[in-house]
Amino acid sequence: MTPLPQVRTPPAVLGVAGLLPQMACVAIALAEPEARMAAGVVGGGYAALILSFLGGMWWMQALLRSDERWWPYLLAVAPSLIGWAALLAVIGGVAPPTAALMALALALLASPLGDREIGPLLRGVPAWRQLRLTLSSGLGGLTLALALAVGRG
């Protein structure tokens, strides 16, 4: 029986380090009331950036499979569009920052469902799936915490 591949140290360490910017934004929003809104904007931008990154992973998976269907590519562009719409809603005054942060948090928390739907590349490697679930849950939870911290003001 061949052992299952394990997550290598660089992606594990760097993946967890990717939570640090959002941790800093939450800490700033809680500790410095006058910087709460700025922390929310920076954290929202970071969440939107990571959503775009996840969509890029799904796009590449579809390309690697030479997928001819439309829906995998539509799913792959959805995270970028969600991030863009959330930020645009705040900039345009249509939604408060807390609402945008909550939308971004929910998209991050739901992103492992996209992994499951987009294809088999991660499906056969439980360690990678677990890393993705941990990172998405972590960043989604931190973004939700940031929304709550920003909403305190």
Side-chain angles (χ1 to χ4, degrees):
M1 184 166 160
T2 307
L4 289 174
Q6 295 299 307
V7 175
R8 301 285 184 222
T9 301
V13 170
L14 294 173
V16 172
L19 300 176
L20 295 175
Q22 209 70 329
M23 287 179 188
C25 288
V26 171
I28 290 167
L30 291 172
E32 300 291 336
E34 66 278 356
R36 193 172 285 147
M37 200 56 62
V41 169
V42 171
Y46 185 70
L49 178 73
I50 296 301
L51 278 171
S52 290
F53 173 80
L54 296 175
M57 285 188 352
W58 298 341
W59 183 275
M60 183 54 68
Q61 288 181 44
L63 286 174
L64 289 172
R65 286 193 319 273
S66 297
D67 206 317
E68 294 181 11
R69 301 168 297 170
W70 280 83
W71 75 263
Y73 300 101
L74 291 171
L75 182 64
V77 299
S80 296
L81 295 176
I82 290 168
W84 175 78
L87 296 177
L88 184 62
V90 172
I91 292 168
V94 177
T98 54
L101 286 165
M102 286 186 182
L104 291 165
L106 291 174
L108 286 162
L109 291 168
S111 68
L113 297 173
D115 291 343
R116 189 182 75 200
E117 292 302 316
I118 203 69
L121 292 184
L122 289 179
R123 223 181 275 157
V125 186
W128 285 106
R129 281 197 338 257
Q130 186 58 47
L131 178 64
R132 273 284 295 120
L133 184 59
T134 299
L135 295 175
S136 293
S137 298
L139 188 58
L142 287 165
T143 304
L144 185 57
L146 183 59
L148 296 173
V150 168
R152 288 178 26 176

